[in-house]
Amino acid sequence: MYRSAVAARLLRGVAATHNGSGSLSSFHRSRRFAHSLPFATVDAEELSGARPAEVQNLVQGKWGGSSSWNTIVDPLNGEPFIRVAEVDEKGIKPFVESLSKCPKHGLHNPFKSPERYLLYGNISSNVGHMLSLPNVSVFFARLIQRVSPKSYQQALAEVQVTQKFFENFSGDQVRFLARSFGVPGNHLGQQSNGFRWPYGPVAIITPFNFPLEIPVLQLMGALYMGNKPLLKVDSKVSIVMEQMMRLLHYCGLPEEDVDFINSDGKTMNKILMEANPRMTLFTGSSRVAEKLAVDLNGRVKLEDAGFDWKILGPDVCEADYVAWVCDQDAYACSGQKCSAQSILFMHENWAGTPLLSKLKELAERRKLEDLTVGPVLTVTTEAMLDHVNKLLNIPGAKLLFGGKALENHSIPSIYGAVKPTAVYVPLEEILKEGNYELVTKEVFGPFQVVTEYKESQLSMVLEALERMHAHLTAAVVSNDVLFLQEVIGQSVNGTTYAGLRARTTGAPQNHWFGPAGDPRGAGIGTPEAIKLVWSCHREIIYDIGPVPQQWEIPPST
């Protein structure tokens, strides 16, 4: 299917989708929608308690429901607005069978069905084009906002990163991921060749906070390398990826290549134990990550929690800009980014600047009306305020701003709703044994710790970094090259920004995003990330001769 054909069908508003063989799916033959998107089964603008949506499962090329349904409430008003067909332990057999049918050598590899590399280049081209169309990008941005409330700009940026990713892997770029190398052997006819090889049956488990970008980028990486994935997205937001799967099918993805499941964690764990995928990618909490690593005997790649730090160096300049980046890093998406700024170390030279007052001003202009602050989906209001109060009991700690619940809203109590918050804790107190674990506890909401260090205390800051257990993102805000060298050389974080414009958040398609310091660490987005996570190395040594003339059997060795 070429771009022009896709665009033409979109403009005609044909309410149908194509499967891998080009025939219309029965689901879309049976329904037509008022909106113009040919792949969509929901309308993001009309999604509500009065017009609830349903999310299905996909297994062995067929969409279907389940014997049990989980009702998702609107995070802004508590209305039941999505019914998710959740598979329970009694219904896992088709998913286990589907994964088990995939051989260890995958659906394609350099020696098997190499035309599929070209297929996925074409699919990527089609999807990239579709996501570039305004009505498609708006559809996904608004759908993201409905289930994981964030500002429209933040939601749209997620769609745009995903679109650029597909553009990056159009044409021949998928086959270039499988580029091999050859090394001359010891004699004529011998040569060793290194190949990137798929794992075969794999699983992908992704969280709620980026309902499109994270699952799409990891899913496509798995597919590009020849694997057959089973994808599970947090049920609270899985409607976004369900609609994306339908777009992928519309753009030529064979329907049997991916299974998509909605389930609770216990059921998914049972599937993993029975289906025994060769590799599982998990993005989410450290606690679950460590359990999976044990259950799956280490056959995992992890992009888990991040208590992410930012250091402001001694060279003070552009205080307004630095404050704005700090506000974005800490509070965009209500702090629900694994890359969110968790702690800010300020050099004493910044004390005489309006940085903190500006940061307070920027945080206080955020409001629920435009979702620049909004529901926190994994931490309650009480839990966040309790954490603030515990920090304030540390000697010298003080509330810089926030520390209160949002007012005049209808966010259900199962979710959190607090004003952007910052608590100052003295550096000496942070390092004390009784305080360190509390201060460095990741709070997945609009919250950060702020501290100050003197010129002579940089070693204490570096000690604080060394004691952290999660090393995802970091920022060193300085143009002092010697300072940068010292901090970068004595830290670990896998995605580290350095320089005046350094930030902690941001996972664009053009650079590696992922942790460092852990052999299980998973990256996302780039060719290096895809090859590391979704393929392994295979060496094939050709030794075809000829055997030397007059060769005789040598003595035993």
Side-chain angles (χ1 to χ4, degrees):
M1 182 191 309
Y2 294 96
R3 286 190 179 193
S4 58
V6 173
R9 285 198 295 169
L10 180 63
L11 294 172
R12 288 197 303 268
V14 179
T17 188
H18 280 243
N19 62 23
S21 63
S23 61
L24 293 177
S25 72
S26 59
F27 182 85
H28 286 285
R29 280 199 299 266
S30 64
R31 290 188 69 178
R32 291 185 180 268
F33 299 92
H35 49 78
S36 62
L37 300 181
F39 60 87
T41 62
V42 301
D43 189 324
E45 301 296 340
E46 296 180 0
L47 185 58
S48 65
R51 301 194 65 174
E54 291 187 354
V55 179
Q56 297 185 317
N57 301 286
L58 175 69
V59 62
Q60 299 183 30
K62 296 181 180 179
W63 289 101
S66 174
S67 59
S68 60
W69 294 79
N70 179 20
T71 299
I72 307 299
V73 299
D74 190 321
L76 292 175
N77 58 31
E79 286 185 351
F81 78 144
I82 301 174
R83 295 178 70 239
V84 179
E86 286 206 348
V87 176
D88 57 23
E89 293 186 35
K90 298 177 183 178
I92 67 173
K93 184 178 178 181
F95 296 91
V96 173
E97 288 178 345
S98 184
L99 270 189
S100 300
K101 288 178 182 177
C102 179
K104 295 176 184 177
H105 54 260
L107 300 179
H108 63 264
N109 61 54
F111 288 75
K112 173 187 175 182
S113 303
E115 64 276 4
R116 282 174 52 89
Y117 293 116
L118 306 183
L119 169 68
Y120 274 97
N122 288 335
I123 293 169
S124 297
S125 179
N126 293 337
V127 181
H129 174 66
M130 289 288 285
L131 290 176
S132 74
L133 300 174
N135 52 347
V136 178
S137 61
V138 168
F139 168 77
F140 279 108
R142 290 290 293 127
L143 196 57
I144 290 168
Q145 281 192 294
R146 297 308 316 281
V147 294
S148 183
K150 59 184 79 172
S151 70
Y152 182 75
Q153 290 77 13
Q154 289 284 321
L156 183 61
E158 186 176 343
V159 180
Q160 290 169 337
V161 167
T162 304
Q163 188 256 332
K164 290 294 184 184
F165 171 85
F166 279 108
E167 286 186 349
N168 284 350
F169 291 98
S170 298
D172 286 323
Q173 297 307 310
V174 174
R175 79 163 127 205
F176 289 159
L177 290 171
R179 188 190 302 271
S180 61
F181 65 83
V183 177
N186 294 335
H187 50 254
L188 182 61
Q190 187 185 75
Q191 185 181 58
S192 59
N193 294 86
F195 295 93
R196 300 310 301 177
W197 217 256
Y199 291 103
V202 298
I204 302 169
I205 304 172
T206 63
F208 74 92
N209 55 334
F210 285 86
L212 184 72
E213 182 181 342
I214 294 177
V216 167
L217 270 58
Q218 293 293 12
L219 174 67
M220 297 312 299
L223 290 167
Y224 291 157
M225 300 312 295
N227 303 288
K228 177 184 173 69
L230 169 61
L231 173 64
K232 173 185 161 25
V233 181
D234 189 314
S235 292
K236 291 190 292 291
V237 299
S238 62
I239 190 171
V240 177
M241 198 59 205
E242 190 229 36
Q243 295 300 296
M244 186 66 200
M245 288 300 308
R246 298 184 187 277
L247 172 57
L248 285 166
H249 291 160
Y250 179 81
C251 290
L253 174 72
E255 293 181 350
E256 298 82 8
D257 278 15
V258 181
D259 294 331
F260 176 77
I261 189 171
N262 300 287
S263 74
D264 61 19
K266 183 180 177 183
T267 299
M268 187 64 188
N269 192 263
K270 186 174 178 62
I271 292 174
L272 295 177
M273 299 303 290
E274 293 194 14
N276 195 30
R278 304 302 298 170
M279 211 286 290
T280 294
L281 178 282
F282 175 78
T283 305
S285 76
S286 294
R287 179 184 59 82
V288 177
E290 294 299 333
K291 181 184 187 306
L292 282 175
V294 173
D295 290 348
L296 301 175
N297 297 313
R299 292 194 303 274
V300 293
K301 286 290 185 181
L302 307 175
E303 197 265 271
D304 56 354
F307 187 84
D308 306 301
W309 50 264
K310 177 181 286 181
I311 298 175
L312 305 186
D315 47 328
V316 175
C317 61
E318 302 289 353
D320 282 0
Y321 180 84
V322 172
W324 173 74
V325 176
C326 286
D327 173 74
Q328 286 292 109
D329 281 347
Y331 306 125
C333 300
S334 300
Q336 296 174 102
K337 295 183 179 183
C338 51
S339 56
Q341 178 178 305
S342 302
I343 187 167
L344 176 65
F345 296 93
M346 299 186 305
H347 189 278
E348 59 185 333
N349 291 352
W350 287 88
T353 73
L355 177 77
L356 289 182
S357 61
K358 188 67 177 179
L359 187 56
K360 179 176 185 289
E361 177 187 328
L362 292 170
E364 290 177 346
R365 72 177 183 172
R366 293 181 174 273
K367 54 186 182 295
L368 185 60
E369 287 78 12
D370 60 6
L371 293 178
T372 49
V373 67
V376 176
L377 301 191
T378 57
V379 190
T380 64
T381 301
E382 292 74 18
M384 284 186 282
L385 296 182
D386 180 62
H387 182 68
V388 170
N389 290 331
K390 288 178 179 177
L391 289 174
L392 292 176
N393 287 328
I394 296 174
K398 58 184 177 181
L399 182 68
L400 296 177
F401 51 83
K404 297 179 180 179
L406 290 177
E407 301 166 342
N408 303 317
H409 64 79
S410 54
I411 296 171
S413 59
I414 59 171
Y415 298 140
V418 300
K419 296 180 179 180
T421 300
V423 174
Y424 175 86
V425 182
L427 180 60
E428 298 87 346
E429 294 294 329
I430 290 176
L431 293 174
K432 290 183 178 178
E433 198 63 39
N435 297 334
Y436 186 80
E437 290 301 320
L438 175 64
V439 172
T440 58
K441 176 183 178 182
E442 183 182 18
V443 178
F444 215 55
F447 173 81
Q448 67 173 318
V449 172
V450 178
T451 193
E452 184 180 320
Y453 68 99
K454 294 180 170 54
E455 184 76 30
S456 60
Q457 292 179 314
L458 180 59
S459 61
M460 297 173 66
V461 174
L462 296 175
E463 179 188 345
L465 308 186
E466 179 68 17
R467 287 166 60 180
M468 294 177 188
H469 71 275
H471 305 289
L472 184 55
T473 69
V476 190
V477 182
S478 174
N479 282 346
D480 182 331
V481 176
L482 297 181
F483 182 82
L484 290 177
Q485 288 178 173
E486 185 169 6
V487 174
I488 294 173
Q490 298 187 64
S491 57
V492 180
N493 296 47
T495 302
T496 301
Y497 288 87
L500 172 65
R501 301 183 65 173
R503 52 183 176 160
T504 66
T505 61
Q509 71 292 333
N510 62 294
H511 70 61
W512 162 282
F513 183 87
D518 188 333
R520 304 168 301 177
I524 191 170
T526 63
E528 291 77 18
I530 292 171
K531 287 183 278 190
L532 172 79
V533 175
W534 294 115
S535 69
C536 58
H537 181 88
R538 185 182 187 187
E539 193 88 0
I540 298 176
I541 298 90
Y542 289 98
D543 204 344
I544 60 176
V547 176
Q549 292 183 359
Q550 300 177 342
W551 181 86
E552 296 180 357
I553 296 176
S556 299
T557 60

